[in-house]
């Protein structure tokens, strides 16, 4: 029987359905049965520093749902035994091995919030690992599925703030599995755990964005690989003016697996005008969301070019 | 079950008890050059001005400026000789500066009031109705893995 995992992708990554779908296919490729969850009803509450009652309620609700889901999924089966999972911080030491399925995180904010806050005052009954740890531990199995050549010269956009999991070397190892892909060695690493952390400090984000362009040029890279969704969100618009592509690393793994998933969010960011964005989103989806809402609430983000 | 506030109160009491105001966490921070208010600031003095925020009391202008540029780079954690999670200390100070710990707010929240509405909207463009139903809305008892 294959191991079942909960894949907790978070909230903001829903801008990039290709990242969610590629990640699920990667987890399946290494032999896992996946129950994906995300969106507002699984929010960790990390953005609620101004409203601790809301943060408290969200954390308790989400941990409670995970306890329920992870135990149901495991159906009394053996605990995950690949050695990559540590019990979420704050979980009491169980008398018996945990029978719950593992929760696999994608978002470093959710992962951090679970470790720093939620796990400290709730009662998580499940082991938790980051996506990179789980996939890296089974990378030889993944290698068998990476059969399509991806002829790119890639440099990785690295942050040093996600202290809980040393994701950069794990991602670099995964990228090196891809046939045809040339990974440029780099030790350039920037503050924050991902680019969204820098948005509230525009001068820092500008420095980092300019640094990405310099790094790609000096490396002679045709592709900048992002680790996290918010870096993909913030940097993908660079393709409008720079001679390189911005692609999340799971999309590169997906390309090598033969998946053909499109980063639509990037296509919208590169559309160039409000009318072109609406055309690319398509009349049906615009109507479903409400054109006024799209124009007033989503368009400013989609038309904003990366400042550098 | 515990509460977020009770957990924070324990963390704050422990931090206030152990912090020597040495300022090494501030020294290790890569973000301080991005706040003009911090030009030439004394690290111990900035920390001294930060600690009241943990209890919902006013912090110094410099301390609030430091809180505003914190991007959770985590370099402060290893820098602390007392083993305090200084990144968490900054996060708690941020909650204090936002007025969440009982005092007056000294900075405004950057939270987007339409955050969840936008998440739902983007999800509707990127996931199928079935995926949204299963992955976002179904109760744990209705879920299976595939
Ligand atoms: S390094 Fe530690 S002890 Fe020194 S000021 Fe910072 S938190 Fe306090």
């Amino acid at each position: 029987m294959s191991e079942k995992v909960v894949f907790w992708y978070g909230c903001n990554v829903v801008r990039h359905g290709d990242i969610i779908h590629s990640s699920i296919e990667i987890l399946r490729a290494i032999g896992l049965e996946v129950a994906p969850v995300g969106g507002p009803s699984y929010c960790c509450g990390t953005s609620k520093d101004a409203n601790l009652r809301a943060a408290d309620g969200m954390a308790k609700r989400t941990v409670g749902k995970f306890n329920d889901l992870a135990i149901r999924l495991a159906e009394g089966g053996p605990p995950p035994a690949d050695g990559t999972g540590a019990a979420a911080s704050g979980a009491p030491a169980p008398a018996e091995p945990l029978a719950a399925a593992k929760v696999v995180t994608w978002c470093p904010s959710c992962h951090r919030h679970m470790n720093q806050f939620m796990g400290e005052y709730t009662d998580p009954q499940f082991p938790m690992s980051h996506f990179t740890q789980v996939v890296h531990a089974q990378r030889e199995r993944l290698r068998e599925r990476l059969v399509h050549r991806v002829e790119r010269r890639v440099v990785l956009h690295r942050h040093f703030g996600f202290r809980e999991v040393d994701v950069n070397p794990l991602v670099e190892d995964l990228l090196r599995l891809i046939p045809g892909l040339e990974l440029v060695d780099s030790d350039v690493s920037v503050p924050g755990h991902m680019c969204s952390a820098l948005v509230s400090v525009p001068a820092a984000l500008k420095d980092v964005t300019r640094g990405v362009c310099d790094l790609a040029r000096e490396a002679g890279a045709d592709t900048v690989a992002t680790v996290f969704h918010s870096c993909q969100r913030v940097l993908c618009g660079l393709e409008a003016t720079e001679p390189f592509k911005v692609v999340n690393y799971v999309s590169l793994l997906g390309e090598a697996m033969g998946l053909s998933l499109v980063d639509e969010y990037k296509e919208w960011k590169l559309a160039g005008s409000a009318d072109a964005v609406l055309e690319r989103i398509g009349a049906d989806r615009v109507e479903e969301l409400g054109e006024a809402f799209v124009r007033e609430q989503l368009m400013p983000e989609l038309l904003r070019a990366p400042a550098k | 079950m515990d509460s977020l506030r009770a957990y924070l109160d324990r963390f704050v009491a422990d931090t206030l008890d152990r912090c020597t105001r040495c300022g090494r966490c501030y020294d290790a921070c890569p973000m301080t050059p991005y706040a003009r208010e911090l030009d030439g600031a004394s690290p111990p003095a900035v920390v001294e001005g930060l600690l009241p925020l943990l209890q919902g009391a006013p912090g110094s202008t410099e301390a609030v400026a430091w809180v505003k540029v914190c991007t959770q780079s985590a370099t402060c954690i290893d820098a602390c000789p007392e083993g305090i999670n200084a990144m968490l200390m900054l996060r708690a100070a941020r909650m204090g500066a936002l007025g969440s710990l009982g005092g007056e707010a000294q900075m405004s929240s950057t939270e987007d009031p339409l955050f969840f509405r936008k998440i739902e909207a983007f999800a509707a463009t990127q996931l199928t109705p079935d995926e949204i139903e299963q992955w976002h809305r179904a109760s744990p008892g209705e879920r299976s893995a595939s």
Side-chain angles (χ1 to χ4, degrees), chain A:
Chain A
M1 195 174 73
S2 54
E3 185 186 337
K4 293 171 183 164
V5 297
V6 178
F7 176 46
W8 182 27
Y9 50 78
C11 285
N12 272 315
V13 68
V14 300
R15 285 170 171 80
H16 302 276
D18 55 311
I19 291 181
I20 297 174
H21 292 115
S22 297
S23 301
I24 292 168
E25 290 310 315
I26 289 166
L27 292 172
R28 287 180 178 148
I30 59 171
L32 301 174
E33 283 185 57
V34 187
V37 295
S41 65
Y42 283 90
C43 178
C44 63
T46 192
S47 62
K48 294 287 175 192
D49 282 357
N51 183 348
L52 298 191
R53 193 174 299 181
D56 188 288
M58 285 179 176
K60 285 175 179 160
R61 175 207 57 190
T62 298
V63 170
K65 285 170 101 166
F66 282 151
N67 282 343
D68 195 359
L69 179 55
I71 290 168
R72 279 172 193 271
L73 280 182
E75 294 171 339
D82 65 3
T84 60
S89 172
E96 299 291 328
L98 285 170
K102 181 183 292 176
V103 171
V104 178
T105 56
W106 165 270
C107 172
S109 291
C110 299
H111 190 101
R112 170 166 286 170
H113 198 64
M114 179 67 86
N115 269 322
Q116 268 190 355
F117 286 98
M118 301 162 81
E120 294 290 343
Y121 66 93
T122 63
D123 186 20
Q125 299 290 319
F126 46 86
M128 187 176 91
S129 294
H130 189 255
F131 178 85
T132 50
Q133 294 172 305
V134 173
V135 177
H136 189 267
Q138 298 292 332
R139 61 192 178 284
E140 288 310 318
R141 201 155 175 193
L142 181 65
R143 187 200 295 270
E144 294 165 18
R145 298 288 303 278
L146 306 178
V147 294
H148 298 270
R149 290 184 68 78
V150 178
E151 305 284 355
R152 292 175 187 261
R153 184 171 163 86
V154 176
V155 67
L156 187 65
H157 165 63
R158 301 148 39 115
H159 285 266
F160 57 73
F162 189 31
R163 183 180 188 270
E164 294 83 344
V165 182
D166 195 5
V167 287
N168 298 318
L170 302 182
V171 171
E172 285 168 346
D173 281 353
L174 294 176
L175 288 173
R176 285 193 191 96
L177 300 176
I178 298 176
L181 187 147
E182 189 185 353
L183 181 67
V184 182
D185 284 335
S186 163
D187 55 7
V188 175
S189 196
V190 298
H193 55 314
M194 57 178 170
C195 278
S196 55
L198 298 163
V199 169
S200 58
V201 191
L205 183 59
K206 227 176 188 176
D207 284 350
V208 165
T209 306
R210 203 178 316 115
V212 167
C213 299
D214 293 345
L215 178 64
R217 189 180 52 251
E218 283 157 22
D222 55 40
T223 302
V224 171
T226 55
V227 176
F228 292 117
H229 55 287
S230 81
C231 304
Q232 184 65 22
R233 177 176 85 227
V234 166
L235 299 175
C236 68
L238 284 172
E239 285 191 17
T241 54
E242 301 299 322
F244 55 79
K245 304 291 181 196
V246 180
V247 186
N248 188 262
Y249 78 100
V250 294
S251 302
L252 294 171
L253 291 168
E255 200 178 325
M257 287 167 64
L259 304 177
S260 42
L261 299 168
V262 176
D263 182 352
E264 280 197 296
Y265 184 87
K266 178 162 71 178
E267 294 196 335
W268 302 337
K269 287 284 288 189
L270 298 176
S273 71
D275 286 342
V277 170
L278 291 178
E279 197 182 320
R280 288 187 186 189
I281 294 175
D284 289 351
R285 291 192 293 192
V286 170
E287 192 187 330
E288 190 191 330
L289 299 176
E291 185 172 337
F293 177 79
V294 175
R295 281 190 185 275
E296 287 159 26
Q297 303 303 333
L298 307 185
M299 200 60 79
E301 165 183 339
L302 295 171
L303 293 180
R304 193 180 307 128
K308 59 181 192 308

